[in-house]
Amino acid sequence: MSVTEQTYDVVVLGAGSTGENVADIVVRGGLTAVLVEPELVGGECSYWACMPSKALLRGTEVLLEARAVDGAAQAVTGEQDVDATLARRDTFTSHWDDSGQVSWVEGAGIDLIRGSGRLDGERTVVVTGTDGGETRLTARHAVAVCTGSVAATPPIDGLADVGPWSPRDATSAKEVPGRLLVLGGGYVGCEMATAWHALGAEVTLLQRGDRLLPAAEPQASEAVARSLRESGVDVRLGTDVTGARREGDTVVLTTSDGEFRGDEVLVAVGRAARTRDIGLETVGLEPGTYLPVEETLRVTGHPWLYGVGDANGRSLLTHMGKYQARQAGAAIVARARGQEPDTSDWSPFVATADAAAVPSVVFTTPQIASVGRTAARAEKGGLPHRVVEYPIGNVSGAALFADGYEGTAIAVVDTEREVLLGVTFVGPGVAELLQAATIAVVGEVPIARLWHAVPAYPTVNEIWLRLLETYRG
Ligand SMILES: Cc1cc2nc3c(=O)[nH]c(=O)nc-3n(C[C@H](O)[C@H](O)[C@H](O)COP(=O)(O)OP(=O)(O)OC[C@H]3O[C@@H](n4cnc5c(N)ncnc54)[C@H](O)[C@@H]3O)c2cc1C
């Protein structure tokens, strides 16, 4: 078989949202780049994660919001249309066709090779093409590994044999299952339980720990568990699944809380690095592990190798992968020009926000929007802090937003520096409050100055004023 040899300034493994952005930044910086991708250009977020999951949830959210406003509620006389919801979801995944993203890659001046890449020593990548051909790529300056993550599989007897749903199946299913068992109470499990229950499935959510969304503020976990239960989802906490089997079309899970039966079982118990078959051993790294990276996303001890996005395990979110891509891309360009990038906190070359200010939204009912440190993390980090909490429903803007608005805002304040360490909002529509909190946390805006950031009346943003008043006491 013939082997093609090519040289680029930068070789990027994986054309997900992270890889696309690394390639774009370095090409804008005057370098040449090639993207290597065995599946769909655009990666997990576009086809099996963020976009389809949020498209599945949006209709349910809009209906709930309308039903919470007297006058509008009377106009909502029907149920959510399942076929139309699934069809709208399909448009957001471009029907799992990546030609739009391929055109973008071409337009951005990035080369694309369809195939699976693996490292073969320093600065070298061998690609086995989807057409069977082999290409040997040499990188003049950098190889960026952006191969993402895969769903973790728990070692449960018989589980692999029952044909469980992965998050990919849960976001791309063409039909609503009659009974859905959801294993895992993280954000994927909670969002998919919300979505499929609203579309008609009978859902049981099994969580091993004592609360849902374990990384969130406890008030957020309680609100989501309460709402799921009130809507009819069977939420079982502290439940260990010990075995799985099929009885005809039925999946049976044996657990510490008895047996549960369903038509499908979604396994959403976390993620693992997708770095098993990419030749890490040829450069002295351990296959299957998250890439250990320093502040510019360069793999420790390997000056030419970068690990960006889910592949480094730092913060498994699309926007954080894209942020890291911008920082790593800038560092690659600087080093290619012979300049050593500034690695101080918040410089354009480092991913400081990974540790200090990760924003995230869980699109459950209610939504959970958070940034920075929770009270537990501030405590663990030994930071002097005070927790301030206020019911969002007491704010006029929230009362207008929905009759009987229920929600909570929690701010974690650094009492020594008088800045915000973190903020969590729990309630309908709170996702859109998050960027103000992110700016306050990243900007380390002093509390005294926040009093001058006057929220417009009557909006839900008035919650900021109430949090400040509560802090002042
Ligand atoms: C159900 C679900 C919902 C989510 N919702 C959200 C959300 O609402 N918001 C959010 O911010 N995040 C969300 N996430 C997380 C988000 O999807 C990921 O953080 C993001 O997709 C990571 O992007 P990435 O480019 O690093 O990896 P990926 O998107 O996984 O891309 C990696 C790419 O590398 C390719 N690849 C693998 N092996 C090789 C190889 N050997 N050679 C070349 N290429 C290779 C893969 O085919 C893939 O295309 C969600 C995740 C899930 C599972």
Side-chain angles (χ1 to χ4, degrees), residues 13-19 36-40 42-45 48-50 53-54 115-117 146-149 167 171 187-188 191 271 274 277-278 308-311 316-319 363:
L13 286 192
S17 43
T18 304
V36 180
E37 174 55 57
E39 294 190 85
L40 295 179
E44 217 65 22
C45 175
W48 300 285
C50 328
S53 60
K54 272 76 234 183
S116 208
C146 308
T147 49
S149 62
T171 52
Y187 80 89
V188 173
E191 286 184 350
R271 310 287 297 173
R274 183 152 45 186
D277 302 319
I278 61 164
V308 197
D310 276 18
L316 281 67
L317 291 162
T318 295
H319 45 276
F363 288 80

Side-chain angles (χ1 to χ4, degrees), residues 69-154:
V69 175
D70 200 19
Q74 288 78 350
V76 184
T77 51
E79 292 304 311
Q80 186 166 351
D81 185 319
V82 173
D83 291 342
T85 302
L86 297 182
R88 184 167 185 268
R89 183 270 319 266
D90 293 354
T91 65
F92 277 89
T93 61
S94 308
H95 301 270
W96 292 273
D97 174 335
D98 66 359
S99 45
Q101 303 229 26
V102 172
S103 302
W104 175 85
V105 167
E106 287 166 359
I110 303 161
D111 282 356
L112 172 67
I113 300 182
R114 298 247 186 212
S116 208
R118 63 181 190 283
L119 290 163
D120 189 19
E122 191 167 325
R123 289 171 212 273
T124 307
V125 167
V126 175
V127 183
T128 307
T130 40
D131 59 2
E134 204 162 87
T135 309
R136 194 172 184 81
L137 298 169
T138 304
R140 279 189 208 95
H141 296 295
V143 174
V145 174
C146 308
T147 49
S149 62
V150 286
T153 43

Side-chain angles (χ1 to χ4, degrees), residues 392 395-399 401 405 428-430 433 455-456 458-464:
I392 305 179
V395 161
S396 331
F401 187 94
Y405 188 109
V430 294
L433 298 181
T459 68
V460 185
N461 284 295
E462 278 177 83
I463 184 62
W464 282 97

Side-chain angles (χ1 to χ4, degrees), residues 229-312:
R229 283 184 172 132
E230 280 171 10
S231 74
V233 174
D234 186 0
V235 178
R236 302 294 178 116
L237 302 176
T239 303
D240 233 337
V241 179
T242 51
R245 63 179 191 276
R246 276 244 177 228
E247 282 178 6
D249 286 342
T250 299
V251 180
V252 185
L253 295 183
T254 45
T255 82
S256 54
D257 200 9
E259 286 196 341
F260 293 89
R261 293 180 142 67
D263 299 304
E264 302 291 349
V265 53
L266 162 63
V267 179
V269 296
R271 310 287 297 173
R274 183 152 45 186
T275 58
R276 192 163 296 286
D277 302 319
I278 61 164
L280 287 185
E281 67 285 357
T282 70
V283 295
L285 293 163
E286 197 183 330
T289 56
Y290 286 116
L291 291 165
V293 294
E294 38 89 305
E295 61 276 67
T296 63
L297 291 315
R298 201 162 54 162
V299 176
T300 318
H302 296 74
W304 53 276
L305 184 63
Y306 291 73
V308 197
D310 276 18
N312 63 35

